[in-house]
Amino acid sequence: MIITWLYYLLVAYVVVLMVWNLIRSRKWQEEVLYVVVLLPFVLRLLRLK
């Protein structure tokens, strides 16, 4: 149980970092890349596969 919570905390931390980089990004190509990479992490946080 505790490992599951640690896993979700780690995923949430990675999502926050990626969103921060997405906001700071200036190139649209990088923004698209961040969204594509971010999607599986957000789905994992929502407990969807």
Side-chain angles (χ1 to χ4, degrees):
M1 178 88 167
I2 203 131
I3 293 179
T4 303
W5 283 105
L6 289 174
Y7 174 75
Y8 283 112
L9 284 173
L10 179 64
V11 170
Y13 179 70
V14 170
V15 166
V16 168
L17 289 178
M18 280 198 261
V19 168
W20 176 254
N21 284 331
L22 175 65
I23 292 170
R24 291 186 0 186
S25 178
R26 298 287 182 212
K27 299 178 188 174
W28 69 270
Q29 293 95 345
E30 287 181 4
E31 292 174 357
V32 171
L33 180 65
Y34 279 122
V35 170
V36 168
V37 171
L38 190 61
L39 188 60
F41 286 97
V42 172
L43 291 176
R44 181 60 62 179
L45 278 177
L46 297 175
R47 297 185 182 207
L48 301 171
K49 289 189 176 182

